[in-house]
Amino acid sequence: MLGSNDQWNKPRGNALRSLALGALAGLVVLAAAPAMAQQAQPAQQGAANGEAVQPQAAWVKLCEKTAKTNDKEICLTHHERLDGNSGMVLVAAAIRKVEGEDKETLLVRLPTAIALAIPAGVQIKVDEQEPIRLQYTLCYATSCQAETELTPELLDSFRKGKQIVVAAVNLQGKAIGFPVPLEGFTKAYDGPPVDTAKYQEARRKLMEMIRKRQMELANKAAEAEQQKESQGGGGSSVAPKTAVPVQ
């Protein structure tokens, strides 16, 4: 099972529940893959072009029921959007369901790289509906997570909607919106979980493609720098201007 420092769970008083959620979180890694292995190729093409990557079926369900979860099935129906150059998760959303519990939880995760203003929290908006505010519940080195109870009304809006916009505020006070398509949500939520082995293999191929993209960009930058130096004869042929003090 793959591990991750960022987990789709919040520390709980109930040790069993924390253990169960932590075990499942190993399946939901920082860089998501297409829902099925056959969808890996389109996503890899996007990565090769340096585009934000998301699978054709934007949502995927992963479930686990083992001794680590005390034989309780825990499922995550989730979507993650990647940066095609770095592999960084730009936005992630998930619905967490624990066997034997009536309530489900909506989770949203954003990268700390955009300098999040934590007190401002997050707003989610489905199509043209009124926005819903979520507060951050915990942060890791690379991301912060917000959550709220998934009400029947919110679930229904996911089923009928076309897009969620996740809005956050950075430290400069600028609002940043992250679109999350709802295409494929209902099918993933109502359907069976995907094959974990195929999911992880698709992820591995996708991340390999992103790593190749990073190497290509680094090589191109190095070549451009070498060409610039060779054209300049190893240094600038223009004499430096004398600095003039400001009056």
Side-chain angles (χ1 to χ4, degrees), residues 82-148:
L82 302 180
D83 179 88
N85 287 329
S86 66
M88 179 181 72
V89 174
L90 300 176
V91 63
I95 292 177
R96 181 180 62 202
K97 181 175 178 62
V98 181
E99 182 182 359
E101 298 186 8
D102 295 332
K103 294 183 179 180
E104 299 178 57
T105 305
L106 169 65
L107 306 162
V108 174
R109 192 170 74 233
L110 294 172
T112 54
I114 62 173
L116 297 168
I118 304 302
V122 175
Q123 284 191 344
I124 62 168
K125 184 177 180 180
V126 181
D127 296 336
E128 300 304 317
Q129 298 183 22
E130 289 296 316
I132 299 172
R133 186 172 181 180
L134 287 71
Q135 290 295 332
Y136 293 110
T137 53
L138 74 165
C139 289
Y140 295 98
T142 57
S143 67
C144 285
Q145 176 178 306
E147 65 178 75
T148 188

Side-chain angles (χ1 to χ4, degrees), residues 143-203:
S143 67
C144 285
Q145 176 178 306
E147 65 178 75
T148 188
E149 180 183 342
L150 181 72
T151 63
E153 293 77 16
L154 185 56
L155 175 59
D156 186 61
S157 69
F158 277 29
R159 291 182 181 277
K160 297 177 180 178
K162 295 181 178 180
Q163 178 179 263
I164 306 169
V165 174
V166 179
V169 178
N170 62 18
L171 294 177
Q172 289 72 44
K174 180 181 178 181
I176 306 173
F178 299 87
V180 176
L182 286 167
E183 180 181 359
F185 168 78
T186 299
K187 182 178 179 181
Y189 181 85
D190 293 337
V194 301
D195 184 282
T196 302
K198 290 182 179 180
Y199 175 87
Q200 293 181 346
E201 176 61 17
R203 175 195 179 270

Side-chain angles (χ1 to χ4, degrees), residues 37-117:
Q38 62 264 32
Q39 293 170 341
Q41 186 175 356
Q44 290 169 3
Q45 291 173 352
N49 295 329
E51 302 169 353
V53 177
Q54 63 185 48
Q56 288 180 324
W59 292 80
V60 59
K61 180 191 284 187
L62 295 172
C63 295
E64 184 175 26
K65 184 176 183 178
T66 66
K68 291 183 179 180
T69 65
N70 201 30
D71 293 325
K72 279 189 175 184
E73 184 176 66
I74 303 175
C75 293
L76 291 174
T77 303
H78 78 109
H79 162 87
E80 289 183 296
R81 186 179 180 89
L82 302 180
D83 179 88
N85 287 329
S86 66
M88 179 181 72
V89 174
L90 300 176
V91 63
I95 292 177
R96 181 180 62 202
K97 181 175 178 62
V98 181
E99 182 182 359
E101 298 186 8
D102 295 332
K103 294 183 179 180
E104 299 178 57
T105 305
L106 169 65
L107 306 162
V108 174
R109 192 170 74 233
L110 294 172
T112 54
I114 62 173
L116 297 168

